[in-house]
């Protein structure tokens, strides 16, 4: 087996060594071939066996559902099982195999296309969406036919051990799929496509496992079961490494782990510069269970809780009670530390379901985040009520994403007021003084930051989107990933304007995009005046270490000078000097 390496964009640092597991989009792999008449019965048998296996897998999954799993998960599996019993899926393909003398994968795919077409013609939107169930069931059948490993959970005792030696290799992974990895312990994941601040990449960082995107053809070049090394820090994958290379990386892996352990020493140390400026280091989370790593990281609060992940991989929106329970859990676990909960930011690359395809041409410019919530006020109302009720149990702050106009802000505030009023009527307790903040992630909001600062309690800069919208670069598109640059002078100017606005109105300001957790940018950000950074828990200690060795007076001077530069290369050089000079 020859050894080779592939280069991509490292999105989550660290080194993983393990066996490749190809995550397939089975539908893409279906080919059509003709069978001789003697093979037809055998092919039909192969199809019948595949249906049996899928049924068995689904039954095992259902049996093993955790007690606290949402009830609809069980219903979801039952629907899939019922579909497998339906003749249109279990019998009709056999006829196709017989009549067209074709392979089973092709037959079931033909049948699926037919059924999907019928669903597409249905007027009722809810029923029409059920076509995704058909596609998912057929995907399972095809995976079994293609000989992919069984989809049922591995029942052996050493499941975790197996996972920790498994590296997922996919063409793409949707945020909705990636969020499910939180229940697993894979060693790493790598994908052919994706940008550095795509939500999938963000999830990789939050899982604290090495990850590389934009590898272009990893899915084609790597075989299932091959040994691979993933070096997330430099974006390199080594396939079938030699003994020497393997030994070298095992050593590097040990060193990396040692460094991480050493950082633990500063866990309880306050993040203060040499000359006494304190910086708040907060954590970004996606699901309530993340509070465990937040507590372990020494973060002094949660700066961004992305609530949309609670809404993913399901058909029904979570109701008020379910949301309340999740928010209350986080608020209580943080024991009085601030917990900034962002209202729903669905849309663009964050769809409720991995199969939901947005119909608009530019989803990132579409009905996303606060725009979506304002168009569905009952969803906003439910979330506000849940947030307010949970505010009684801790220090919750509400954050509105993707604001671009004051009208959106004012409408949101009216809805928040209505939610408060409804709770008052019921006598339900909540924090009457709850703070409300806005994300500054659209250039219009940064340019107009003064106006937002005047009407809000705090601002939070979402640099992931701010960069995307300022530079007109799709954050999920690897083809333009090289142009995505946080140090573009226009981006820095917008950040600076926001800092000035927050200072002018004396309100809180945080930065919660990926820039906040990048140690190469820590000194720039604090030198610009940022006093609160929010990032994945896994970045907190290394960012803190940068702060502990920084001298604010010198940084201020240097940064002031570099902010006058208009040349990206010169800015990059000066930012590098901030870290090497002192
Ligand atoms: C951002 O845009 O920087 C941000 C923090 O929000 P998200 O990454 O969830 O879009
Ligand atoms: Mg954003």
């Amino acid at each position: 087996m020859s050894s080779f390496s592939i280069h991509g964009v490292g999105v989550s640092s660290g080194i993983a060594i393990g066996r490749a597991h190809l995550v397939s989009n089975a539908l893409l792999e279906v080919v059509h071939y003709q069978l001789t008449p003697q093979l037809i019965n055998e092919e039909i048998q192969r199809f019948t066996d595949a249906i049996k296996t899928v049924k068995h897998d689904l039954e095992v999954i259902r049996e093993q559902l955790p007690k606290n799993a949402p009830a609809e998960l069980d219903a979801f599996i039952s629907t899939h099982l019922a579909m497998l019993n339906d003749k249109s899926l279990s019998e009709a393909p056999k006829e196709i195999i017989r009549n067209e003398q074709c392979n089973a994968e092709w037959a079931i795919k033909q049948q699926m296309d037919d059924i999907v077409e019928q669903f597409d013609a249905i007027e009722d939107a809810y029923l029409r969406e059920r076509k995704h169930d058909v596609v998912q069931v057929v995907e399972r059948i095809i995976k079994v036919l293609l000989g992919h490993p069984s989809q049922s959970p591995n029942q052996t005792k050493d499941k975790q051990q197996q996972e920790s030696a498994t590296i997922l290799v996919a063409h793409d992974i949707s945020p909705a799929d990636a969020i499910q990895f939180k229940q697993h312990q894979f060693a790493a994941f790598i994908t052919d496509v994706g940008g550095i601040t795509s939500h999938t990449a963000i999830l990789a960082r939050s899982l604290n496992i090495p990850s590389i995107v934009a590898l272009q053809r990893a899915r084609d070049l790597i075989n299932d079961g091959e040994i691979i090394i993933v070096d997330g820090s430099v974006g390199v994958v080594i396939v079938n490494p030699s003994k020497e290379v393997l030994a070298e990386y095992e050593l590097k892996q040990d060193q990396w782990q040692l460094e991480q352990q050493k950082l633990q020493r500063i866990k309880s140390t306050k993040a203060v510069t040499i000359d006494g400026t304190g910086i708040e280091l907060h954590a970004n989370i996606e699901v309530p269970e993340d509070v465990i790593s937040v507590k372990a990281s020494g973060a002094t609060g949660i700066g961004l809780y992305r609530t949309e992940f609670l809404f993913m991989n399901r058909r029904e929106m979570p109701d008020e009670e379910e949301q309340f329970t999740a928010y209350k859990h986080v608020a209580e676990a943080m024991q009085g530390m601030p917990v900034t909960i962002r209202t729903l930011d669905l849309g663009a690359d964050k769809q409720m379901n991995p199969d939901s395809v947005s119909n608009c041409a530019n989803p990132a410019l579409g009905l996303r985040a606060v725009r979506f919530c304002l168009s569905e006020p009952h969803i906003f109302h439910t979330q506000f009520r849940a947030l307010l009720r949970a505010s009684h149990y801790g220090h919750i702050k509400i954050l509105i994403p993707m604001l671009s106009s004051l009208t959106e802000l004012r409408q949101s505030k009216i809805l928040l007021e209505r939610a408060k009023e409804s709770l008052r009527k019921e006598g339900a307790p909540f924090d009457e003084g709850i703070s409300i903040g806005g994300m500054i992630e659209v250039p219009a909001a940064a340019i107009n930051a003064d106006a937002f600062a005047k009407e809000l309690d705090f601002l939070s800069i979402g640099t992931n989107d701010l960069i995307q919208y300022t530079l007109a670069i799709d954050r999920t598109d690897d083809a333009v990933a090289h142009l995505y640059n946080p140090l573009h002078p226009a981006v820095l100017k917008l950040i600076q304007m926001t800092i000035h606005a927050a200072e002018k109105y004396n309100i809180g300001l945080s930065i919660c995009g990926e820039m906040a957790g990048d140690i190469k940018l820590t000194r720039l950000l604090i030198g610009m005046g940022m006093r609160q950074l929010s990032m994945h828990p896994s970045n907190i200690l290394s960012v803190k270490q940068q702060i502990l060795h920084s001298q604010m007076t010198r940084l201020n001077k240097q940064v002031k000078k570099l902010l006058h530069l208009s040349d990206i290369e010169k800015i990059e050089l000066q930012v590098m000097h901030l870290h090497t000079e002192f």
Side-chain angles (χ1 to χ4, degrees):
M1 271 184 290
S2 65
S3 172
F4 60 95
S5 54
I6 326 174
H7 295 249
V9 179
V11 291
S12 182
S13 299
I15 291 165
I17 303 173
R19 289 199 181 270
H21 174 71
L22 300 198
V23 180
S24 84
N25 178 349
L27 291 172
L28 291 179
E29 292 179 36
V30 172
V31 289
H32 180 201
Y33 53 90
Q34 229 36 74
L35 298 169
T36 54
Q38 307 87 281
L39 291 176
I40 299 294
N41 284 342
E42 218 174 283
E43 193 66 1
I44 290 177
Q45 190 55 47
R46 199 165 74 85
F47 175 77
T48 312
D49 291 347
I51 297 270
K52 240 192 244 165
T53 306
V54 174
K55 269 189 203 165
H56 172 256
D57 286 351
L58 287 174
E59 269 151 14
V60 172
I61 291 175
R62 188 160 62 176
E63 271 164 31
Q64 295 188 351
L65 280 181
K67 279 202 187 79
N68 57 357
E72 61 181 21
L73 218 61
D74 189 85
F76 174 74
I77 296 168
S78 302
T79 312
H80 282 199
L81 278 165
M83 281 183 176
L84 285 167
N85 288 328
D86 192 284
K87 287 208 167 88
S88 63
L89 279 189
S90 61
E91 293 301 321
K94 294 183 189 167
E95 285 310 301
I96 300 178
I97 298 174
R98 214 185 307 277
N99 296 340
E100 298 187 15
Q101 303 196 344
C102 65
N103 53 319
E105 294 88 343
W106 185 253
I108 182 77
K109 169 85 170 40
Q110 295 313 297
Q111 183 62 9
M112 180 196 82
D113 289 344
D114 249 25
I115 301 175
V116 166
E117 210 173 295
Q118 288 165 29
F119 270 103
D120 277 337
I122 299 177
E123 258 184 39
D124 182 286
Y126 179 81
L127 280 179
R128 202 169 50 239
E129 285 305 295
R130 302 288 59 82
K131 72 177 175 195
H132 297 306
D133 291 312
V134 179
V135 175
Q136 282 172 2
V137 172
V138 170
E139 262 233 303
R140 277 188 181 278
I141 302 171
I142 292 178
K143 277 185 183 167
V144 172
L145 285 167
L146 291 172
H148 288 300
S150 168
Q151 301 297 301
S152 70
N154 193 328
Q155 293 172 72
T156 58
K157 269 196 213 139
D158 51 13
K159 178 181 170 210
Q160 286 187 351
Q161 221 174 343
Q162 281 184 16
E163 280 186 355
S164 64
T166 299
I167 293 171
L168 301 179
V169 183
H171 177 67
D172 193 11
I173 292 176
S174 72
D177 280 333
I179 193 74
Q180 296 185 330
F181 296 166
K182 291 222 183 212
Q183 292 145 19
H184 298 267
Q185 290 175 344
F186 297 115
F189 74 78
I190 58 175
T191 61
D192 290 345
V193 297
I196 191 157
T197 59
S198 64
H199 286 94
T200 304
I202 289 174
L203 281 166
R205 284 190 281 277
S206 83
L207 293 167
N208 204 8
I209 59 174
S211 177
I212 302 176
V213 299
L215 285 157
Q216 312 290 340
R217 293 186 54 223
R219 182 74 185 61
D220 288 344
L221 297 171
I222 300 172
N223 295 310
D224 237 341
E226 276 179 326
I227 300 257
I228 53 177
I229 297 173
V230 175
D231 187 343
S233 318
V234 289
V236 173
V237 177
I238 304 170
V239 186
N240 295 321
S242 65
K243 264 195 198 143
E244 294 73 28
V245 172
L246 202 58
E248 187 189 324
Y249 273 88
E250 276 165 356
L251 201 69
K252 274 192 185 182
Q253 201 176 28
D254 287 348
Q255 279 165 350
W256 165 267
Q257 272 154 10
L258 205 68
E259 273 166 36
Q260 300 301 306
Q261 275 164 20
K262 269 198 211 154
L263 281 174
Q264 286 299 323
R265 290 188 202 143
I266 56 169
K267 186 182 147 185
S268 324
T269 311
K270 281 207 161 100
V272 180
T273 61
I274 297 170
D275 43 356
T277 306
I279 310 288
E280 287 297 324
L281 297 182
H282 286 186
N284 292 355
I285 66 166
E286 280 82 35
V287 291
E289 297 75 50
D290 287 343
V291 285
I292 299 168
S293 48
V294 174
K295 298 299 279 281
S297 73
T300 51
I302 289 176
L304 173 65
Y305 173 4
R306 292 180 163 99
T307 57
E308 51 276 9
F309 288 95
L310 188 67
F311 291 66
M312 287 184 181
N313 295 309
R314 55 195 296 163
R315 293 191 201 147
E316 311 291 343
M317 297 257 168
D319 62 13
E320 183 182 315
E321 217 44 42
E322 187 181 341
Q323 292 189 52
F324 164 67
T325 309
Y327 309 151
K328 175 173 172 265
H329 172 84
V330 178
E332 283 181 335
M334 291 304 290
Q335 297 167 311
M337 286 188 255
V339 175
T340 309
I341 307 188
R342 185 174 70 183
T343 57
L344 196 51
D345 182 11
L346 276 179
D349 63 333
K350 284 179 289 194
Q351 299 292 335
M352 271 184 70
N353 194 299
D355 300 318
S356 331
V357 184
S358 171
N359 290 329
C360 64
N362 288 308
L365 304 182
L367 198 62
R368 185 188 157 183
V370 70
R371 303 170 182 183
F372 169 75
C373 287
L374 289 172
S375 72
E376 302 279 351
H378 62 286
I379 295 178
F380 220 179
H381 182 72
T382 306
Q383 185 166 35
F384 277 145
R385 275 183 56 97
L387 285 168
L388 288 167
R389 283 174 58 201
S391 71
H392 181 61
Y393 298 89
H395 182 186
I396 287 182
K397 297 161 86 175
I398 297 177
L399 179 62
I400 314 282
M402 276 276 290
L403 288 167
S404 56
S405 75
L406 282 180
T407 317
E408 287 165 337
L409 171 60
R410 289 175 187 156
Q411 285 173 347
S412 304
K413 281 175 132 184
I414 290 172
L415 288 175
L416 178 62
E417 201 42 53
R418 264 188 217 159
K420 284 184 180 174
E421 203 41 55
S422 68
L423 290 173
R424 282 186 200 115
K425 272 192 195 135
E426 291 166 21
F430 66 90
D431 174 9
E432 285 279 357
I434 194 164
S435 304
I436 174 158
M439 292 278 294
I440 301 295
E441 50 185 347
V442 176
I447 294 166
N448 207 15
D450 258 20
F452 285 99
K454 205 170 160 191
E455 299 195 16
L456 283 165
D457 301 315
F458 67 98
L459 301 177
S460 185
I461 310 179
T463 49
N464 306 336
D465 278 313
L466 188 62
I467 299 167
Q468 149 163 280
Y469 295 126
T470 305
L471 305 182
I473 287 164
D474 183 343
R475 60 193 266 197
T476 66
D477 185 352
D478 55 294
V480 284
H482 61 291
L483 300 171
Y484 186 99
N485 194 333
L487 295 180
H488 191 294
V491 173
L492 299 185
K493 282 200 176 92
L494 293 174
I495 295 177
Q496 211 184 4
M497 289 169 92
T498 313
I499 294 174
H500 288 161
E503 281 170 357
K504 182 169 161 195
Y505 288 94
N506 196 19
I507 60 164
L509 174 67
S510 167
I511 182 161
C512 62
E514 295 302 290
M515 273 180 90
D518 184 343
I519 52 167
K520 296 188 292 308
L521 303 177
T522 308
R523 289 185 170 168
L524 169 71
L525 293 175
I526 62 173
M528 284 177 82
M530 292 301 314
R531 295 292 175 265
Q532 188 179 310
L533 311 176
S534 190
M535 65 205 78
H536 298 292
S538 56
N539 292 336
I540 294 219
L541 294 180
S542 38
V543 167
K544 192 189 282 185
Q545 199 176 37
Q546 290 294 326
I547 295 167
L548 294 175
H549 293 104
S550 298
Q551 205 170 46
M552 193 57 87
T553 39
R554 291 177 74 173
L555 275 183
N556 283 151
K557 273 190 218 142
Q558 304 272 343
V559 170
K560 210 170 175 182
K561 270 194 244 158
L562 79 80
L563 288 176
H564 288 295
L565 300 170
S566 42
D567 202 315
I568 297 185
E569 287 74 24
K570 285 188 185 151
I571 296 176
E572 281 173 345
L573 198 69
Q574 290 308 316
V575 170
M576 210 170 76
H577 283 165
L578 292 179
H579 287 264
T580 48
E581 269 182 8
F582 48 91

